[in-house]
Amino acid sequence: MKQNIFSREHIISELPQVKKWDVIVIGGGATGLGVALDSVTRGYKTLLLEQVDYAKGTSSRSTKLVHGGVRYLAQGNIDLVKEALYERGLLAKNAPHLVKNQNFVIPNYRWWEGIYYTIGLKAYDFLAGKLSLGKSKHINKTKTVERLSTLRQKGLYGGVVYRDGQFDDSRLATNIAQTCIENGATLLNHFKVTDLLQDDQKQIIGVEAIDIETNESYTFSSDLVINATGVFTDEILRMENAEAKKSVVPSQGVHLVFDKSFLPGDDAIMIPKTDDGRVLFAVPWHDKVLVGTTDTNLDDHSLEPQAQEQEIEFILKTFNNYIEKKVTRADVRSIFAGLRPLAAPKDSSEKTKEISRSHKVIVSETGLITITGGKWTTYRRMAQDTINKAISLKKLPKKKCQTEHLEIHGAMPTENRENHMYIYGTDQKGITKLVDEDLSLGEKLHPRLPFLKAEVIWAVRYEMARTVEDVLARRVRALFLDAAAARDMTAEVASLIAGELHRDEGWKLNQIEEFTKLANHYCIDSNTVIA
Ligand SMILES: Cc1cc2nc3c(=O)[nH]c(=O)nc-3n(C[C@H](O)[C@H](O)[C@H](O)COP(=O)(O)OP(=O)(O)OC[C@H]3O[C@@H](n4cnc5c(N)ncnc54)[C@H](O)[C@@H]3O)c2cc1C
C-alpha cells in the first residue's frame, strides 16, 4: 500500500534519519510555512515545528484579502503597494482554487469622492501592471444600489468599483503545508519549540522541542534556525537572550460575521475612512458576510485574543451607518480577534496605524534569523527575503528561489464557487470518493452549514488535523462562520476523529469539553471584555 506522506506517525518515524537539518523553522503561520516552502524547494533539508496547528495564530484571523492595500496607497507607500500587488497576482495564479477575483465598491457620500477614489484606484490598477485583476470604474447611484441592495441610499452619490483578491487564510496555510511535504520537507503541528541550543561561542546549533500529544522531548540540530512566530517572536528571542528588548507589539483586529442577507450579492463594501480614520470592509465569505476590522494597541498577546466591547460597538455602529438593514448583537454569528505582529515603535507616541506594515528580517548575534511583520499577501516574498538573507550570511549554499511560479497543493482553475467544496480544488474528487464508498459520510454536520462528515475524515487523513478545533476552526471554517453551529457539531466531529485516530472515550470527552469552551468564546456575549 502507498505510504500516506501526511500521516503524523510516518513523519515522526522518519525523524531519526536526519542528523542535521539545513533549516529549522519555528512557527506554522503564513510566514513560517512560506519560509519552509521556499527553503525545501531550493533543495535544503527543512524542518518546521508548529506548537498548535497551522494558522492557529494570526494567520486564520485575517480579513481574507489578497491585496495591495488601498490604504497604503493613500499614505503614499508606493513600494509596499507595488510589491503586494505583484504577490497578489502570483498567488491568484498559484492557488486559483483559493483566491477569488472580488469586486469591491466604495460608496460615495460626498460629491468629490467619486473623482478622488476613481483616480486613486486607477493608480492602484496601474501599479498591478500585467497582473491586474481588472479595471476599476466609477458607477452612478442606481448602479451602486443595484450592486449593493442593502446600502444606505440617503446622501449617496454613486460608487467606485475596484478589484482585489479574496481568499481563505487557514485553508491556504493547510495547502502550503501539504505542498512543503510533497516537496520533501518535514512538518509537524502540535510540536512546540521549548528552547534554543547554543554552542560555546553562543551560536545557535538547534532547538529542543516537545511533541504535545505524547509529551516526548526531541533535540533537532541545525546551524540555521528561523523564528517565524508572529506575536510570539519575543518569547523565542528571550530563549537566546533573557534581556532581549521588545521587538514586536500586538495590534488587535476584530471581525464580526453575519448572515449574507445583510449584504446579498457578490460585491464587497470598502469604507475608506471610518470615524477613527481606519478602513472597514464588509466582504462576502463562504455565504456569510465578514465585517472588520479594528486596530487596538495591546500590551500582551495570547493564542485566543478577546474582542473588547468598544471594538464590537465600533464595527456594529460603522456597518449600520452604511446599510439600510441594521445589524444587532443578536445577528452576530461569530466573532474573532487576531493580532498583527507589528515592529515595536521606536517612540511611544507612534500610533499602530502608522507603524510600518512592511516585513523585517533581523539577524541576532547568535545567528538566529527572525522574520516579522508583513502580511498574508506577501508571505512568499517574505520567505524569499529570509532565505536570501541566510544565503548572504553564508549559512546556506547559494540556490535560486523557486516559488514564484510554484503551484500550491489543490491548484486548479476555479470559476464556479457555488458548491462549498470548490475550496479543495483538485482534492474535491477525493472527498467525493469517500462519500461514494460510504454514503453516511455525505451527511451534513449541521443544517445551517454545508460541511459534510467526509470533510472531517479527509482533514484527519490528508490535512494533518488532530483535534476537533483543527477541523472546525481551520480545515472547514465552521467556528468562524457560525460559532453556535460549530458547538453543536462537537460530539459528532469528536466521534469521527476518534474513529480515524483510534482514540478512547476519555479523549472524546476531553475534546468535547475543550471545543465547547472555545466555541463559547466565538459567540458574542460570552466573548467580550470591557477594556
Ligand atoms: C485583524 C487582521 C486582519 C488581517 N487581514 C489581512 C488581510 O486581509 N490580508 C493580508 O494579506 N494580511 C492580513 N493580515 C496580516 C496577516 O494575517 C499576518 O501578517 C500573518 O497572518 C502573520 O503570520 P505569521 O506567520 O507571522 O504569524 P502567525 O500566524 O501568528 O503564526 C505564528 C505561529 O507561531 C507559532 N508558535 C509560536 N511559538 C511557537 C513555539 N515555541 N514553537 C512552535 N510554534 C510556535 C504560533 O502557534 C503561530 O501559529 C491581517 C492581520 C490581522 C491581525
Side-chain angles (χ1 to χ4, degrees):
M1 213 172 75
K2 209 173 141 211
Q3 181 61 52
N4 176 5
I5 57 169
F6 302 115
S7 135
R8 186 180 185 86
E9 288 67 33
H10 170 67
I11 296 172
I12 291 182
S13 75
E14 297 220 309
L15 287 174
Q17 287 182 17
V18 183
K19 298 286 170 258
K20 191 169 176 184
W21 301 87
D22 295 329
V23 181
I24 295 178
V25 184
I26 314 173
T31 310
L33 289 165
V35 172
L37 186 60
D38 186 300
S39 166
V40 74
T41 51
R42 292 197 206 209
Y44 307 126
K45 198 92 206 101
T46 305
L47 171 69
L48 178 145
L49 302 171
E50 161 54 50
Q51 63 176 348
V52 187
D53 184 26
Y54 308 117
K56 162 70 186 183
T58 305
S59 298
S60 56
R61 300 152 192 273
S62 76
T63 312
K64 329 293 179 207
L65 305 179
V66 183
H67 63 159
V70 173
R71 176 159 61 104
Y72 309 126
L73 184 67
Q75 292 165 357
N77 207 336
I78 305 286
D79 288 344
L80 186 67
V81 176
K82 210 169 160 190
E83 175 182 283
L85 285 172
Y86 181 67
E87 292 300 324
R88 179 189 75 170
L90 292 185
L91 195 51
K93 285 187 178 199
N94 295 335
H97 60 307
L98 290 175
V99 180
K100 184 182 160 212
N101 190 338
Q102 174 73 49
N103 280 311
F104 290 77
V105 181
I106 302 181
N108 307 146
Y109 290 96
R110 277 173 287 199
W111 66 266
W112 50 268
E113 286 180 340
I115 300 178
Y116 178 77
Y117 291 117
T118 306
I119 293 171
L121 288 157
K122 289 282 176 207
Y124 195 64
D125 295 346
F126 175 75
L127 289 174
K130 281 198 200 126
L131 292 174
S132 162
L133 297 182
K135 284 193 180 138
S136 54
K137 61 176 180 203
H138 181 258
I139 52 173
N140 64 22
K141 178 174 176 175
T142 314
K143 288 239 164 64
T144 307
V145 177
E146 263 168 34
R147 296 182 82 125
L148 302 169
S149 59
T150 48
L151 191 70
R152 169 167 64 87
Q153 296 190 28
K154 191 162 171 251
L156 182 71
Y157 282 90
V160 180
V161 187
Y162 73 98
R163 304 276 188 100
D164 241 333
Q166 193 265 332
F167 79 132
D168 186 318
D169 45 13
S170 67
R171 287 232 43 99
L172 179 58
T174 302
N175 286 167
I176 297 173
Q178 290 169 305
T179 317
C180 289
I181 292 175
E182 283 163 341
N183 279 280
T186 299
L187 271 71
L188 283 161
N189 53 357
H190 301 281
F191 226 98
K192 179 174 178 157
V193 170
T194 50
D195 211 349
L196 299 173
L197 302 171
Q198 287 170 273
D199 66 9
D200 299 346
Q201 313 298 312
K202 298 254 180 260
Q203 290 303 295
I204 300 287
I205 49 166
V207 302
E208 256 168 35
I210 181 167
D211 179 346
I212 299 294
E213 291 193 355
T214 61
N215 265 333
E216 207 173 312
S217 295
Y218 289 76
T219 300
F220 299 110
S221 300
S222 176
D223 294 337
L224 177 55
V225 175
I226 294 173
N227 174 14
T229 52
V231 289
F232 297 89
T233 293
D234 289 334
E235 275 152 43
I236 303 293
L237 289 175
R238 283 184 193 131
M239 288 178 187
E240 54 159 17
N241 171 11
E243 310 291 307
K245 264 199 350 231
K246 209 176 190 172
S247 66
V248 164
V249 287
S251 154
Q252 175 158 288
V254 168
H255 292 92
L256 305 183
V257 178
F258 301 95
D259 283 341
K260 192 75 190 347
S261 59
F262 293 99
L263 186 69
D266 290 335
D267 293 352
I269 302 179
M270 195 268 208
I271 300 161
K273 201 156 191 184
T274 61
D275 289 347
D276 78 341
R278 276 195 55 82
V279 172
L280 194 90
F281 289 97
V283 189
W285 188 57
H286 293 318
D287 213 28
K288 299 272 184 241
V289 52
L290 181 76
V291 186
T293 184
T294 53
D295 208 336
T296 310
N297 225 342
L298 298 185
D299 291 328
D300 226 343
H301 59 269
S302 91
L303 276 167
E304 284 298 336
Q306 277 201 303
Q308 296 180 0
E309 189 52 42
Q310 66 264 35
E311 294 182 289
I312 297 171
E313 283 305 316
F314 168 77
I315 296 175
L316 290 173
K317 187 171 147 243
T318 310
F319 190 36
N320 275 337
N321 261 339
Y322 287 85
I323 51 171
E324 300 276 1
K325 184 180 171 187
K326 305 294 178 201
V327 289
T328 66
R329 295 177 78 89
D331 297 311
V332 177
R333 291 289 191 190
S334 179
I335 171 166
F336 61 91
L339 302 177
R340 297 175 191 86
L342 302 185
K346 289 185 199 83
D347 157 3
S348 61
S349 67
E350 208 176 354
K351 287 190 189 149
T352 59
K353 281 199 297 266
E354 290 151 13
I355 300 171
S356 166
R357 302 281 157 129
S358 57
H359 60 274
K360 275 206 176 85
V361 183
I362 305 159
V363 185
S364 305
E365 281 174 16
T366 60
L368 178 76
I369 296 187
T370 296
I371 163 83
T372 58
K375 49 187 183 168
W376 238 122
T377 308
T378 53
Y379 87 98
R380 192 207 66 82
R381 177 59 196 266
M382 292 166 68
Q384 183 180 327
D385 290 354
T386 309
I387 296 294
N388 282 350
K389 184 71 178 181
I391 292 172
S392 74
L393 293 169
K394 307 236 175 322
K395 284 182 166 289
L396 291 170
K398 191 169 179 183
K399 290 182 190 176
K400 208 167 151 257
C401 176
Q402 303 291 329
T403 53
E404 212 167 327
H405 304 291
L406 183 84
E407 284 197 339
I408 301 299
H409 179 100
M412 66 178 244
T414 308
E415 294 303 324
N416 186 345
R417 293 176 199 265
E418 288 292 305
N419 179 337
H420 80 280
M421 291 214 298
Y422 76 84
I423 207 83
Y424 293 96
T426 53
D427 279 346
Q428 192 179 331
K429 56 181 185 301
I431 299 168
T432 311
K433 189 159 169 264
L434 286 180
V435 176
D436 290 344
E437 286 162 4
D438 176 353
L439 289 182
S440 74
L441 294 180
E443 289 165 16
K444 276 171 60 157
L445 291 163
H446 195 280
R448 281 210 301 271
L449 290 171
F451 309 119
L452 308 179
K453 289 182 183 175
E455 292 175 74
V456 180
I457 305 295
W458 185 265
V460 175
R461 264 184 221 170
Y462 304 112
E463 296 181 340
M464 298 160 281
R466 307 293 297 175
T467 65
V468 171
E469 183 196 329
D470 292 353
V471 172
L472 289 180
R474 291 172 294 275
R475 301 308 182 282
V476 302
R477 307 307 304 273
L479 183 66
F480 288 77
L481 294 168
D482 187 333
R487 190 174 50 198
D488 294 348
M489 299 172 185
T490 316
E492 180 76 68
V493 173
S495 291
L496 287 163
I497 301 175
E500 273 296 298
L501 298 180
H502 312 293
R503 301 293 197 226
D504 61 16
E505 204 54 31
W507 181 89
K508 241 162 70 177
L509 291 176
N510 183 266
Q511 282 288 302
I512 294 171
E513 194 186 322
E514 292 283 308
F515 188 76
T516 306
K517 236 192 292 168
L518 182 78
N520 285 338
H521 186 76
Y522 287 68
C523 294
I524 191 161
D525 285 318
S526 348
N527 178 294
T528 59
V529 286
I530 313 281

